[in-house]
Amino acid sequence: MGKILVTGGAGFIGSHTCVELLERGKEIVVVDNFVNSTPKALEAVREITGREFEFYECDLRDRAGVERIFCENEISAAIHFAGLKAVGESVQKPRLYYDNNLGSTLGLLEAMERHGVKKLIFSSSATVYGEKNAAPYREEMETGGTTNPYGTTKWMIERMLADECAADPAWGVVLLRYFNPIGAHPSGLLREDPNGIPNNLMPYIVRVAQGKLPYLNVFGGDYPTPDGTGVRDYIHVCDLAAGHGKALDWLETHRGVEAFNLGTGKGSSVLEVLHAYERASGREVPYRVAPRRAGDLAVSYADCSKAQKLLGWRAQFSLDDMCRDTFHAG
Ligand code: NAD
Ligand code: WQD
């Protein structure tokens, strides 16, 4: 059994997955260019697991750099987290997103092909369901109709990987469509810590609770939902990490391309998340209802029955657990 290559392994979801893989006894090799992370996360992975692993600071678009990783390590499969993910920035700088997200995937696929590595897990997103489908989202729904370049890169990469599998039946690809990952490792040593003012709900709530921002803008109070605020399927990042372990097991015995939703199957509103964080932290989180944010859906949550049936995976952690671990990680 060779090593698992984890691209983007210093990032939020990648670092938690590194912990999961090392704790399952896997050998890993990590590559990241730190465009949205720091070496601290890798130190935390070593501290939590007490295990060592190879790390390469390299941009996946650097063909020679990626080739070196494959020459120096016996790799049996890759988990591909590396990519840019800020929806708003992708609207401002579309070419950056197409270049980075598609370019890094092409660079990785070429090296894998050259070295006969044909098992891949790709970090996709609920965003591929677009605006036309209604929740709960099921994997067989037609994807596309994405509303921003970031989402379109995910949709395009899913297509690229499906085409690769159609051309060469030796490939096995799992597309994992994450819903809204939050939470942190229970040790408190790993967390999501975006630079600047956060775009996503949970990191924003944390900054308000810490007194670093004055209040949360709740984007829309007039959605057709029980309390009028947007509903999402928040999932603990450690549950997601476990899903990658199960997807690797699946690839031991399956070829072709298969998509799985990773969510809890349960929607929570913005105000439910805010109040859950208040309970977990014992702090008040002031908020104001603001206009809707462009491109936002009213409701998004997963049908997770496929992952449960075929991978034997289901989310274990509740919203209260997610808030407790986020608060504990600071
Ligand atoms: P993240 O930004 O914390 O992690 C991504 C990592 O990839 C970072 O460490 C970054 O430095 C690295 N990276 C980016 N481009 C690179 C390149 N060209 N070469 C090498 N390294 C590169 O993001 P995350 O939240 O951990 O997300 C991981 C993956 O999951 C991404 O592909 C993201 O699009 C996808 N995803 C995330 C969410 C979410 O809400 N967090 C939801 C759905 C899908
Ligand atoms: C959640 C809810 C907001 C901030 C995004 C991407 C998606 C995926 C996950 C990568 C919504 C509301 C938010 C704030 C608020 N990422 N909100 N005030 O938009 O569901 O999904 O991240 O693939 O592709 O689009 O997540 O955390 O930004 O918002 O009221 O300051 O919180 O309107 O209802 P979203 P989010």
Short mmCIF file of all heavy atoms in Angstrom, two decimals, residues 185-225:
data_model
loop_
_atom_site.label_atom_id
_atom_site.label_comp_id
_atom_site.label_asym_id
_atom_site.label_seq_id
_atom_site.Cartn_x
_atom_site.Cartn_y
_atom_site.Cartn_z
N HIS A 185 -11.23 20.62 15.11
CA HIS A 185 -10.82 19.42 15.82
C HIS A 185 -11.04 19.60 17.32
O HIS A 185 -10.71 20.66 17.86
CB HIS A 185 -9.34 19.12 15.53
CG HIS A 185 -8.94 17.76 15.97
ND1 HIS A 185 -8.41 17.52 17.22
CD2 HIS A 185 -9.07 16.56 15.36
CE1 HIS A 185 -8.20 16.22 17.33
NE2 HIS A 185 -8.58 15.61 16.22
N PRO A 186 -11.60 18.58 18.01
CA PRO A 186 -11.91 18.73 19.45
C PRO A 186 -10.69 19.06 20.31
O PRO A 186 -10.84 19.58 21.41
CB PRO A 186 -12.49 17.36 19.84
CG PRO A 186 -12.78 16.66 18.58
CD PRO A 186 -12.05 17.30 17.46
N SER A 187 -9.48 18.77 19.84
CA SER A 187 -8.27 19.12 20.60
C SER A 187 -8.11 20.63 20.75
O SER A 187 -7.36 21.10 21.60
CB SER A 187 -7.03 18.57 19.88
OG SER A 187 -6.90 19.24 18.62
N GLY A 188 -8.76 21.39 19.90
CA GLY A 188 -8.60 22.85 19.91
C GLY A 188 -7.35 23.30 19.15
O GLY A 188 -7.06 24.49 19.08
N LEU A 189 -6.62 22.36 18.54
CA LEU A 189 -5.34 22.72 17.90
C LEU A 189 -5.49 23.10 16.42
O LEU A 189 -4.60 23.69 15.84
CB LEU A 189 -4.35 21.57 18.03
CG LEU A 189 -3.91 21.25 19.46
CD1 LEU A 189 -3.09 19.97 19.50
CD2 LEU A 189 -3.09 22.42 20.03
N LEU A 190 -6.61 22.72 15.82
CA LEU A 190 -6.83 23.03 14.39
C LEU A 190 -8.11 23.82 14.26
O LEU A 190 -9.11 23.52 14.92
CB LEU A 190 -7.03 21.74 13.59
CG LEU A 190 -5.82 21.00 13.08
CD1 LEU A 190 -6.29 19.72 12.37
CD2 LEU A 190 -4.99 21.84 12.13
N ARG A 191 -8.13 24.78 13.38
CA ARG A 191 -9.37 25.56 13.20
C ARG A 191 -9.37 26.25 11.83
O ARG A 191 -8.33 26.29 11.16
CB ARG A 191 -9.50 26.60 14.29
CG ARG A 191 -8.62 27.82 14.02
CD ARG A 191 -8.70 28.78 15.13
NE ARG A 191 -7.54 28.58 15.96
CZ ARG A 191 -6.89 29.57 16.58
NH1 ARG A 191 -7.33 30.76 16.52
NH2 ARG A 191 -5.80 29.32 17.27
N GLU A 192 -10.53 26.82 11.50
CA GLU A 192 -10.64 27.64 10.29
C GLU A 192 -10.35 29.07 10.71
O GLU A 192 -11.01 29.59 11.62
CB GLU A 192 -12.06 27.52 9.75
CG GLU A 192 -12.27 28.30 8.47
CD GLU A 192 -13.69 28.14 7.92
OE1 GLU A 192 -14.61 27.86 8.71
OE2 GLU A 192 -13.84 28.31 6.70
N ASP A 193 -9.38 29.69 10.05
CA ASP A 193 -9.00 31.04 10.49
C ASP A 193 -8.75 31.92 9.27
O ASP A 193 -7.61 32.20 8.92
CB ASP A 193 -7.75 30.94 11.37
CG ASP A 193 -7.51 32.23 12.13
OD1 ASP A 193 -8.40 33.12 12.11
OD2 ASP A 193 -6.42 32.37 12.71
N PRO A 194 -9.82 32.36 8.61
CA PRO A 194 -9.62 33.12 7.37
C PRO A 194 -8.97 34.50 7.63
O PRO A 194 -9.16 35.08 8.71
CB PRO A 194 -11.04 33.29 6.83
CG PRO A 194 -11.94 33.12 7.99
CD PRO A 194 -11.24 32.22 8.96
N ASN A 195 -8.21 34.95 6.66
CA ASN A 195 -7.63 36.30 6.75
C ASN A 195 -8.70 37.34 6.50
O ASN A 195 -9.62 37.12 5.72
CB ASN A 195 -6.54 36.48 5.67
CG ASN A 195 -5.37 35.57 5.92
OD1 ASN A 195 -5.04 35.29 7.08
ND2 ASN A 195 -4.76 35.08 4.85
N GLY A 196 -8.58 38.50 7.14
CA GLY A 196 -9.49 39.62 6.88
C GLY A 196 -10.88 39.36 7.41
O GLY A 196 -11.09 38.53 8.31
N ILE A 197 -11.85 40.07 6.84
CA ILE A 197 -13.23 39.92 7.30
C ILE A 197 -13.82 38.66 6.67
O ILE A 197 -13.80 38.50 5.45
CB ILE A 197 -14.07 41.17 6.92
CG1 ILE A 197 -13.50 42.38 7.68
CG2 ILE A 197 -15.54 40.96 7.27
CD1 ILE A 197 -14.23 43.68 7.40
N PRO A 198 -14.31 37.74 7.50
CA PRO A 198 -14.81 36.47 6.93
C PRO A 198 -16.03 36.66 6.03
O PRO A 198 -16.85 37.55 6.26
CB PRO A 198 -15.20 35.66 8.17
CG PRO A 198 -14.59 36.34 9.33
CD PRO A 198 -14.43 37.77 8.96
N ASN A 199 -16.16 35.80 5.02
CA ASN A 199 -17.35 35.78 4.16
C ASN A 199 -18.38 34.80 4.69
O ASN A 199 -19.57 34.99 4.51
CB ASN A 199 -16.98 35.31 2.75
CG ASN A 199 -15.99 36.25 2.10
OD1 ASN A 199 -16.24 37.44 2.00
ND2 ASN A 199 -14.85 35.71 1.68
N ASN A 200 -17.89 33.73 5.30
CA ASN A 200 -18.79 32.65 5.71
C ASN A 200 -19.35 32.91 7.11
O ASN A 200 -18.76 33.62 7.92
CB ASN A 200 -18.07 31.30 5.66
CG ASN A 200 -17.69 30.92 4.25
OD1 ASN A 200 -16.51 30.88 3.91
ND2 ASN A 200 -18.68 30.69 3.41
N LEU A 201 -20.50 32.30 7.34
CA LEU A 201 -21.26 32.61 8.55
C LEU A 201 -20.49 32.30 9.84
O LEU A 201 -20.38 33.18 10.72
CB LEU A 201 -22.58 31.81 8.53
CG LEU A 201 -23.47 32.01 9.75
CD1 LEU A 201 -23.93 33.46 9.87
CD2 LEU A 201 -24.68 31.08 9.69
N MET A 202 -20.00 31.08 9.99
CA MET A 202 -19.45 30.69 11.29
C MET A 202 -18.24 31.53 11.69
O MET A 202 -18.20 32.05 12.81
CB MET A 202 -19.13 29.19 11.29
CG MET A 202 -18.82 28.66 12.65
SD MET A 202 -20.11 29.16 13.85
CE MET A 202 -20.54 27.64 14.55
N PRO A 203 -17.24 31.68 10.81
CA PRO A 203 -16.10 32.53 11.21
C PRO A 203 -16.52 33.97 11.53
O PRO A 203 -15.92 34.61 12.41
CB PRO A 203 -15.17 32.49 10.00
CG PRO A 203 -15.67 31.44 9.09
CD PRO A 203 -17.05 31.05 9.50
N TYR A 204 -17.57 34.44 10.87
CA TYR A 204 -18.05 35.80 11.16
C TYR A 204 -18.66 35.85 12.57
O TYR A 204 -18.37 36.77 13.36
CB TYR A 204 -19.09 36.23 10.11
CG TYR A 204 -19.20 37.74 9.99
CD1 TYR A 204 -18.67 38.41 8.88
CD2 TYR A 204 -19.81 38.51 10.98
CE1 TYR A 204 -18.76 39.79 8.78
CE2 TYR A 204 -19.90 39.88 10.89
CZ TYR A 204 -19.37 40.52 9.78
OH TYR A 204 -19.45 41.89 9.68
N ILE A 205 -19.48 34.85 12.90
CA ILE A 205 -20.08 34.79 14.24
C ILE A 205 -18.98 34.76 15.31
O ILE A 205 -19.06 35.44 16.33
CB ILE A 205 -21.00 33.55 14.35
CG1 ILE A 205 -22.28 33.77 13.55
CG2 ILE A 205 -21.32 33.22 15.80
CD1 ILE A 205 -23.26 32.59 13.56
N VAL A 206 -17.94 33.98 15.05
CA VAL A 206 -16.83 33.87 16.02
C VAL A 206 -16.20 35.25 16.27
O VAL A 206 -15.98 35.65 17.41
CB VAL A 206 -15.77 32.86 15.52
CG1 VAL A 206 -14.52 32.90 16.40
CG2 VAL A 206 -16.35 31.45 15.48
N ARG A 207 -15.96 36.00 15.19
CA ARG A 207 -15.35 37.33 15.34
C ARG A 207 -16.26 38.28 16.11
O ARG A 207 -15.79 39.09 16.90
CB ARG A 207 -15.03 37.95 13.98
CG ARG A 207 -14.08 37.16 13.11
CD ARG A 207 -12.62 37.39 13.48
NE ARG A 207 -11.82 36.40 12.78
CZ ARG A 207 -11.18 36.62 11.62
NH1 ARG A 207 -11.21 37.82 11.09
NH2 ARG A 207 -10.51 35.66 11.04
N VAL A 208 -17.56 38.17 15.89
CA VAL A 208 -18.50 39.04 16.64
C VAL A 208 -18.48 38.65 18.12
O VAL A 208 -18.39 39.52 19.00
CB VAL A 208 -19.93 38.94 16.06
CG1 VAL A 208 -20.91 39.74 16.91
CG2 VAL A 208 -19.97 39.44 14.61
N ALA A 209 -18.53 37.35 18.39
CA ALA A 209 -18.53 36.89 19.80
C ALA A 209 -17.24 37.31 20.50
O ALA A 209 -17.24 37.59 21.70
CB ALA A 209 -18.68 35.37 19.84
N GLN A 210 -16.15 37.39 19.74
CA GLN A 210 -14.86 37.81 20.33
C GLN A 210 -14.76 39.33 20.48
O GLN A 210 -13.76 39.84 20.98
CB GLN A 210 -13.70 37.33 19.44
CG GLN A 210 -13.50 35.83 19.45
CD GLN A 210 -12.52 35.37 18.37
OE1 GLN A 210 -12.29 36.08 17.38
NE2 GLN A 210 -11.96 34.18 18.54
N GLY A 211 -15.77 40.04 19.99
CA GLY A 211 -15.76 41.51 20.09
C GLY A 211 -14.91 42.16 19.00
O GLY A 211 -14.68 43.37 19.03
N LYS A 212 -14.45 41.38 18.01
CA LYS A 212 -13.60 41.94 16.94
C LYS A 212 -14.43 42.58 15.84
O LYS A 212 -13.93 43.36 15.03
CB LYS A 212 -12.70 40.85 16.35
CG LYS A 212 -11.66 40.36 17.36
CD LYS A 212 -10.81 39.25 16.77
CE LYS A 212 -9.81 38.77 17.80
NZ LYS A 212 -9.26 37.46 17.46
N LEU A 213 -15.69 42.19 15.73
CA LEU A 213 -16.64 42.83 14.81
C LEU A 213 -17.90 43.15 15.63
O LEU A 213 -18.23 42.41 16.57
CB LEU A 213 -16.98 41.88 13.65
CG LEU A 213 -15.86 41.61 12.64
CD1 LEU A 213 -16.22 40.44 11.72
CD2 LEU A 213 -15.56 42.85 11.81
N PRO A 214 -18.59 44.25 15.32
CA PRO A 214 -19.66 44.70 16.22
C PRO A 214 -20.92 43.84 16.20
O PRO A 214 -21.53 43.63 17.25
CB PRO A 214 -19.96 46.12 15.71
CG PRO A 214 -19.43 46.17 14.32
CD PRO A 214 -18.29 45.20 14.25
N TYR A 215 -21.33 43.38 15.03
CA TYR A 215 -22.56 42.57 14.96
C TYR A 215 -22.56 41.78 13.66
O TYR A 215 -21.82 42.10 12.72
CB TYR A 215 -23.81 43.46 15.04
CG TYR A 215 -23.86 44.55 13.99
CD1 TYR A 215 -24.37 44.30 12.71
CD2 TYR A 215 -23.37 45.83 14.27
CE1 TYR A 215 -24.38 45.29 11.75
CE2 TYR A 215 -23.38 46.83 13.31
CZ TYR A 215 -23.88 46.55 12.05
OH TYR A 215 -23.88 47.53 11.09
N LEU A 216 -23.41 40.76 13.64
CA LEU A 216 -23.57 39.96 12.42
C LEU A 216 -24.64 40.59 11.55
O LEU A 216 -25.72 40.93 12.06
CB LEU A 216 -23.99 38.53 12.78
CG LEU A 216 -24.33 37.65 11.56
CD1 LEU A 216 -23.07 37.21 10.83
CD2 LEU A 216 -25.16 36.42 11.97
N ASN A 217 -24.36 40.75 10.28
CA ASN A 217 -25.41 41.09 9.31
C ASN A 217 -26.08 39.79 8.91
O ASN A 217 -25.43 38.91 8.32
CB ASN A 217 -24.80 41.74 8.06
CG ASN A 217 -24.41 43.16 8.32
OD1 ASN A 217 -25.23 43.99 8.70
ND2 ASN A 217 -23.12 43.46 8.15
N VAL A 218 -27.34 39.65 9.23
CA VAL A 218 -28.09 38.47 8.78
C VAL A 218 -28.64 38.80 7.40
O VAL A 218 -29.48 39.69 7.26
CB VAL A 218 -29.22 38.15 9.77
CG1 VAL A 218 -30.07 36.99 9.24
CG2 VAL A 218 -28.66 37.81 11.14
N PHE A 219 -28.12 38.08 6.39
CA PHE A 219 -28.47 38.42 5.01
C PHE A 219 -29.86 37.91 4.65
O PHE A 219 -30.01 36.78 4.17
CB PHE A 219 -27.43 37.87 4.04
CG PHE A 219 -26.05 38.45 4.22
CD1 PHE A 219 -24.92 37.63 4.12
CD2 PHE A 219 -25.86 39.80 4.48
CE1 PHE A 219 -23.65 38.15 4.27
CE2 PHE A 219 -24.58 40.34 4.64
CZ PHE A 219 -23.48 39.50 4.54
N GLY A 220 -30.87 38.70 4.91
CA GLY A 220 -32.23 38.34 4.52
C GLY A 220 -33.04 37.80 5.70
O GLY A 220 -32.61 36.83 6.34
N GLY A 221 -34.15 38.44 5.98
CA GLY A 221 -35.04 37.97 7.06
C GLY A 221 -36.41 37.63 6.51
O GLY A 221 -37.35 37.40 7.28
N ASP A 222 -36.51 37.60 5.16
CA ASP A 222 -37.82 37.38 4.55
C ASP A 222 -37.82 36.18 3.59
O ASP A 222 -38.57 36.14 2.63
CB ASP A 222 -38.26 38.65 3.81
CG ASP A 222 -37.24 39.07 2.75
OD1 ASP A 222 -36.13 38.46 2.69
OD2 ASP A 222 -37.54 40.00 1.98
N TYR A 223 -36.94 35.21 3.85
CA TYR A 223 -36.97 33.98 3.04
C TYR A 223 -38.16 33.11 3.47
O TYR A 223 -38.62 33.21 4.61
CB TYR A 223 -35.67 33.18 3.23
CG TYR A 223 -34.49 33.74 2.48
CD1 TYR A 223 -33.42 34.33 3.15
CD2 TYR A 223 -34.43 33.68 1.08
CE1 TYR A 223 -32.32 34.84 2.46
CE2 TYR A 223 -33.34 34.19 0.39
CZ TYR A 223 -32.30 34.76 1.08
OH TYR A 223 -31.23 35.26 0.38
N PRO A 224 -38.65 32.27 2.56
CA PRO A 224 -39.75 31.37 2.93
C PRO A 224 -39.25 30.21 3.80
O PRO A 224 -39.29 29.04 3.40
CB PRO A 224 -40.27 30.89 1.57
CG PRO A 224 -39.09 31.01 0.66
CD PRO A 224 -38.25 32.13 1.15
N THR A 225 -38.74 30.54 4.97
CA THR A 225 -38.22 29.54 5.92
C THR A 225 -38.89 29.84 7.27
O THR A 225 -39.44 30.93 7.45
CB THR A 225 -36.69 29.67 6.07
OG1 THR A 225 -36.40 31.01 6.52
CG2 THR A 225 -35.97 29.44 4.75
#
